[in-house]
Amino acid sequence: MSAVVWTAAASLAAWLWLLLGQGFFWRTDLRLPSRREPDTWPSVCVVVPARDEAAVLPESLPSLLAQDYPGQAEIFLVDDGSSDGTGALARGLADRHGGLPLTVDSPGEPPPGWTGKLWAVRHGIGLARARAPRYLLLTDADIAHEPDSLRELVAAAETAGFDLVSQMARLRVASTWERLVVPAFVYFFAQLYPFRWIAKRESRTAAAAGGCVLVSTVAAERAGIPDSIRHAVIDDVTLARAVKRSGGRIWLGLAERVDSVRPYPGLGDLWRMVSRSAYAQLRHNPLILLGTVLGLALIYLVPPVALIGGLATGSALPAVLGGAAWLVMTATYIPMLRYYRQTLWLAPLLPFTAFLYLLMTVDSAVQHYRGRGAAWKGRTYSRPDPAPEQH
């Protein structure tokens, strides 16, 4: 057999393995675990790091202020050096809407070795420590919560004994590019970190979604959060890994009533969102980058190329193998499109979307080696020094 046939066969084999052997990552039925209301509701402090978030706060912060939580709860919004009046706007929203108590404070610029977001989180946790809460809810400034969100998160953690419960907020899908790219973003994330593996004690897989993470203060202190992950650009996955490695039980699933209101209307907006951390995900390792590019090409690009090339040249076997792989790929993407309430005609376009992600990943590496590092809201993070071991 020719190299083309072997390559198409390898792609189909990879898809059959992904379909059955990667924790059924493509299924979207994993929601908050079974839960019941505790006899006594534990206290919770909500920490919201915010940098130049005036555009989204009017949609997100009122939803936190309006949380219907039976226990003691308080919000700490940390204004991380904003230049758009984020802190003043937050105070005004609290005055107008009422609800949970809100404290707005600023930590100043982060010292060397800290990302700005985690320095803000550290400051927020420090403010919350005086309340001695049982749980911390770490949520981003662009996340809108339904009124029962905090209640449901705490009930799930208390019922199942989880130290960390995280929900992947439903991202906005309004523009054409958001419809094409955003569902795939969550699909690829679940492929890397199958949700069903995350909750298993014996599994090394660990991840969280930074927009909505409820963590017990005991587990956070045991894992040295946030000091032990102070350098992390991908802070949510690193946080979950630290909690799990320190003996904590963690859970991650898709959200029904937790939504991101941040818009990414154009391809450039989405490109920056992905490329700012893609190479950090690969540990700034050129060999891992090469393997990732080859893997993406084999899994996502070979099927349509083999099918179209086989039909064009009259070669039946490559066309059949490529078509079968493309069919499996398409079928695994349909549940995510349904979750995002998108047309299923987007499913066969996944190879094109994957090609965009491949280019974003390569661009992330190029920016890194040009000395620009991971950029976000006016800050650039180059490769960090390793964090000290926590004992």
Side-chain angles (χ1 to χ4, degrees):
M1 292 191 294
S2 68
V4 173
V5 172
W6 278 111
T7 304
S11 182
L12 176 58
W15 272 110
L16 293 175
W17 181 83
L18 287 170
L19 176 68
L20 302 173
Q22 188 66 5
F24 296 101
F25 76 93
W26 44 270
R27 292 179 56 177
T28 57
D29 56 346
L30 198 61
R31 303 296 194 273
L32 279 175
S34 299
R35 55 207 176 276
R36 61 181 181 275
E37 294 193 349
D39 296 331
T40 302
W41 288 91
S43 59
V44 182
C45 284
V46 182
V47 177
V48 186
R51 179 174 172 85
D52 292 335
E53 298 288 14
V56 297
L57 276 184
E59 292 185 71
S60 60
L61 185 57
S63 73
L64 283 175
L65 295 167
Q67 285 302 297
D68 178 20
Y69 186 68
Q72 181 181 354
E74 187 171 351
I75 304 169
F76 295 90
L77 186 141
V78 184
D79 183 2
D80 178 21
S82 299
S83 59
D84 65 351
T86 287
L89 175 61
R91 294 186 185 94
L93 289 169
D95 292 340
R96 190 180 318 143
H97 292 275
L100 297 183
L102 172 70
T103 298
V104 178
D105 205 355
S106 180
E109 282 298 305
W114 283 85
T115 66
K117 178 181 177 180
L118 287 171
W119 182 244
V121 168
R122 185 181 191 272
H123 187 71
I125 292 175
L127 295 172
R129 191 171 292 121
R131 310 297 193 268
R134 172 96 65 85
Y135 289 99
L136 298 164
L137 175 61
L138 309 179
T139 184
D140 289 342
D142 65 310
I143 303 299
H145 297 255
E146 290 295 324
D148 61 352
S149 175
L150 182 56
R151 177 199 292 258
E152 295 296 301
L153 285 165
V154 171
E158 289 283 290
T159 301
F162 287 112
D163 297 288
L164 182 151
V165 174
S166 179
Q167 288 184 291
M168 178 161 283
R170 199 190 301 260
L171 305 177
R172 199 188 89 137
V173 282
S175 70
T176 299
W177 284 109
E178 285 172 336
R179 293 187 178 98
L180 184 67
V181 174
V182 166
F185 177 84
V186 182
Y187 173 89
F188 294 144
F189 185 94
Q191 192 177 86
L192 285 173
Y193 306 101
F195 295 165
R196 283 172 171 76
W197 290 357
I198 289 169
K200 294 181 179 180
R201 286 185 179 274
E202 65 276 13
S203 171
R204 297 179 60 186
T205 304
C212 180
V213 179
L214 182 81
V215 60
S216 75
T217 52
V218 171
E221 291 171 1
R222 186 173 61 231
I225 304 298
D227 295 58
S228 65
I229 63 169
R230 64 182 182 269
H231 63 290
V233 175
I234 309 175
D235 51 89
D236 44 12
V237 173
T238 311
L239 185 153
R241 188 177 295 131
V243 170
K244 193 168 189 178
R245 283 178 175 173
S246 63
R249 292 189 62 205
I250 68 174
W251 183 93
L252 171 63
L254 295 173
E256 283 290 353
R257 304 172 70 198
V258 178
D259 301 282
S260 171
V261 299
R262 191 184 304 283
Y264 294 98
L267 177 59
D269 305 294
L270 290 159
W271 193 289
R272 286 186 290 273
M273 184 267 288
V274 174
S275 65
R276 72 183 179 90
S277 60
Y279 198 41
Q281 178 73 53
L282 304 180
R283 294 179 286 179
H284 304 102
N285 188 318
L287 292 179
I288 298 178
L289 172 66
L290 176 61
T292 299
V293 169
L294 293 176
L296 286 171
L298 174 67
I299 293 172
Y300 291 100
L301 305 185
V302 165
V305 169
L307 173 61
I308 296 170
L311 292 176
T313 60
S315 303
L317 191 52
V320 169
L321 293 171
W326 199 354
L327 182 63
V328 176
M329 180 199 316
T330 300
T332 63
Y333 192 38
I334 285 175
M336 188 61 69
L337 290 174
R338 284 178 173 160
Y339 170 73
Y340 271 96
R341 306 183 186 98
Q342 298 302 302
T343 175
L344 301 187
W345 288 108
L346 290 170
L349 299 180
L350 187 57
F352 173 70
T353 305
F355 180 62
L356 290 178
Y357 274 90
L358 186 155
L359 295 179
M360 293 173 191
T361 302
V362 172
D363 181 58
S364 179
V366 170
Q367 298 303 320
H368 172 79
Y369 288 113
R370 285 181 175 176
R372 298 177 186 176
W376 181 243
K377 293 193 175 182
R379 289 197 182 110
T380 301
Y381 306 104
S382 57
R383 186 188 308 192
D385 295 328
E389 293 291 333
Q390 298 294 313
H391 300 286

